[in-house]
Amino acid sequence: MGREIERKFLLRNDDWRGAPGRHLRQGYLSRGDGTTVRVRVADPDAWLTIKGPTVGAARDEYEYAIPLADAQELLDRYCLPPLIEKFRHRVEHRGLTWEIDEFLGENAGLVLAEVELDDEHQPVPLPPWVGDEVTGDPRYYNASLATHPFSRWSDA
């Protein structure tokens, strides 16, 4: 069984910048009851991912490489709108790889840092550019951002 353990943070500043980014486009074939079926393209690669409900910082995850043409067709014809588009940057800090997502489109202005862990209790040395943790806040889940984009959040 696949298992994903990740923590998610807002960013304090732009001191992480300088790492190259990769454009990702993703959409959801299904998102309900905490389970999602996602299609993701990062040319020339593509994946189909099934994720179970999140419990703490962990959830079941099954990810499979699929042909790029199939993924693009799934995104264009079958994924629920809107799609998520973002640039993903990878930054190394004290033995951990941080993935920093700069969202585009209706989620423009949102920048999140994620770090995948081997164990939920693994210590995480925070880089100086990391701000508040939002791991347990469902608003920051990509599937939620597809239905309730950042640009539509109220200040309240």
Side-chain angles (χ1 to χ4, degrees):
M1 173 184 344
R3 192 102 171 121
E4 174 187 62
I5 302 168
E6 81 179 5
R7 291 176 60 190
K8 196 175 285 205
F9 299 83
L10 297 174
L11 293 164
R12 182 181 312 275
N13 58 47
D14 286 340
D15 289 352
W16 59 270
R17 289 202 183 273
R22 187 174 188 193
H23 184 256
L24 284 96
R25 186 172 171 237
Q26 67 188 45
Y28 294 88
L29 296 166
S30 171
R31 52 181 184 235
D33 296 333
T35 301
T36 61
V37 180
R38 178 187 75 201
V39 176
R40 176 182 280 170
V41 168
D43 282 339
D45 303 309
W47 305 268
L48 179 69
T49 306
I50 299 115
K51 294 187 179 194
T54 300
V55 178
R59 62 184 163 178
D60 294 337
E61 178 184 59
Y62 305 89
E63 187 165 70
Y64 308 97
I66 61 174
L68 179 60
D70 289 359
Q72 290 171 329
E73 187 170 329
L74 288 167
L75 285 170
D76 294 339
R77 294 183 61 196
Y78 297 103
C79 286
L80 304 167
L83 299 180
I84 297 281
E85 291 197 57
K86 58 188 174 181
F87 279 101
R88 172 162 285 172
H89 307 267
R90 293 183 191 274
V91 178
E92 300 294 324
H93 178 76
R94 296 183 61 189
L96 294 174
T97 301
W98 290 80
E99 293 178 333
I100 300 169
D101 290 340
E102 285 186 278
F103 289 86
L104 305 170
E106 290 191 72
N107 289 298
L110 179 61
V111 183
L112 294 173
E114 301 176 351
V115 62
E116 289 202 20
L117 306 171
D118 296 322
D119 179 278
E120 280 191 75
H121 305 290
Q122 178 179 342
V124 178
L126 298 179
W129 35 263
V130 164
D132 294 336
E133 184 165 6
V134 294
T135 299
D137 189 336
R139 294 178 302 165
Y140 293 98
Y141 299 168
N142 281 277
S144 295
L145 291 169
T147 55
H148 303 290
F150 182 68
S151 64
R152 297 185 197 161
W153 293 8
S154 71
D155 291 335

